[in-house]
Amino acid sequence: MDKNEKINWDELGFEYIKTDYRYISTWKDGEWDDGKLTEDNMLTISEASTSLHYGQQCFEGLKAYRTKDGSIQLFRPNRNASRLNDSCKKLLMPQLPEEKFIDACMQVVKANERFVPPYGTGGTLYIRPFIIGVGNNIGVKAAPEYIFCVFCVPVGAYFKGGLAPVNFMISDYDRAAPFGTGQQKVGGNYAASMEPHKIAVERGFADCIYLDPATHTKIEEVGAANFFGITHDNKFVTPKSPSILPSITKYSLLQLAEEVLHLEVVEGDVFIDKIDEFKEAGACGTAAVITPIGGIEYENKLHVFHSETEVGPITRKLYDTLVGIQFGDIEGPEGWIYKVK
């Protein structure tokens, strides 16, 4: 993006915009180099890279927020660093020191400060760290070299007209195998979700909901997000499974539900044939924070929770609390906020 070109913050969506700088570091001969910022947004890699052929790659997503006083902060980047390393461990890729991950994100945000949307617009600077296997390798084995990169793009408010419920349908497809890579943030899980997402959208739904791949009786993920429900007796319930990505947003909501809203919190099985136990439901993740679920279609019947048009009161309170912490309007639990200096 041209340095003299002005951004219309109100028209930002979730699209790629070339920002000024990104961070890149290479792992070779058993260690990571020091890393550096670069203006070049193109990677040159071997045609035989394992990331291209065998899916040896993983990524993360987090945001930088502009606060009311003009400062910038990150939300729990240490948890993203930990999850990235969990993915690396699963795919036999080298671990990345937490301090290197956080420092890289900080460098990228500071170097691209002009792209952090102003406070009050609802916009944020989305940060995408990733690690890919590179080098000359044609066999199905770990790569000889790796690239760690962090880039960022300014993104607009997810709900342009305010927080609003949407409907989902149950999918017959699986996004991940039992005890496969469902807990890791790897590209293969997302590739598997593209066809079922397309089917859901063509049928007029926001996305599809995946049931557990072993029995197809329990809710696991909502598109690329985690599920939660509020029971009629005010319990915050979210699925627990070895094939669910451990959402940082979800675990933040779990803590806030218990400590701020004083709800009983439960991680366990969420059976699809018992969704009438919930008076509210939502999907949660980095992009939207919370997407309220109006209804779920299952066996050709739409089960509506609180409303198809209005957000439930507990869902709204959770959303307002978490977003308030992220933008610096509410003090969050110790260790959640990292100031960019």
Side-chain angles (χ1 to χ4, degrees), residues 277-341:
E277 294 178 353
F278 299 109
K279 61 180 179 179
E280 298 180 31
C284 55
T286 299
V289 182
I290 290 176
T291 300
I293 298 176
I296 295 176
E297 185 191 77
Y298 174 59
E299 294 185 339
N300 298 315
K301 180 184 177 183
L302 183 69
H303 176 89
V304 176
F305 297 97
H306 178 76
S307 166
E308 288 186 77
T309 56
E310 301 293 328
V311 181
I314 294 176
T315 299
R316 181 170 290 282
K317 178 66 174 175
L318 285 167
Y319 177 86
D320 289 344
T321 303
L322 185 52
V323 170
I325 292 169
Q326 291 172 332
F327 281 101
D329 298 324
I330 298 173
E331 186 174 352
E334 185 177 353
W336 279 22
I337 296 300
Y338 287 62
K339 287 287 187 182
V340 178
K341 298 175 181 178

Side-chain angles (χ1 to χ4, degrees), residues 27-157:
W27 185 92
K28 190 175 182 180
D29 299 326
E31 62 181 7
W32 291 102
D33 67 14
D34 290 338
K36 64 179 181 180
L37 291 174
T38 175
E39 294 185 60
D40 188 0
N41 69 333
M42 294 293 168
L43 296 175
T44 300
I45 63 174
S46 167
E47 62 188 356
S49 295
T50 59
S51 55
L52 298 178
H53 303 279
Y54 307 125
Q56 199 185 28
Q57 57 83 250
C58 60
F59 67 99
E60 278 299 320
L62 64 157
K63 290 177 176 178
Y65 305 82
R66 179 86 66 179
T67 64
K68 199 170 187 177
D69 65 7
S71 62
I72 301 171
Q73 59 189 32
L74 304 182
F75 180 73
R76 310 190 78 179
N78 57 318
R79 294 295 296 262
N80 292 94
S82 176
R83 193 170 64 180
L84 185 79
N85 277 332
D86 286 342
S87 297
C88 286
K89 184 178 179 182
K90 183 75 170 181
L91 271 61
L92 302 185
M93 303 200 295
Q95 304 279 294
L96 188 78
E98 179 181 301
E99 59 272 18
K100 184 179 181 72
F101 178 95
I102 295 174
D103 176 64
C105 292
M106 291 285 191
Q107 285 192 48
V108 168
V109 173
K110 284 191 285 189
N112 295 288
E113 184 174 349
R114 74 185 184 97
F115 290 96
V116 183
Y119 173 84
T121 62
T124 53
L125 187 70
Y126 182 81
I127 305 163
R128 171 55 59 84
F130 63 92
I131 296 180
I132 58 174
V134 296
N136 296 316
N137 182 84
I138 200 62
V140 183
K141 59 184 179 180
E145 300 174 23
Y146 297 86
I147 289 175
F148 167 57
C149 184
V150 183
F151 69 93
C152 64
V153 295
V155 297

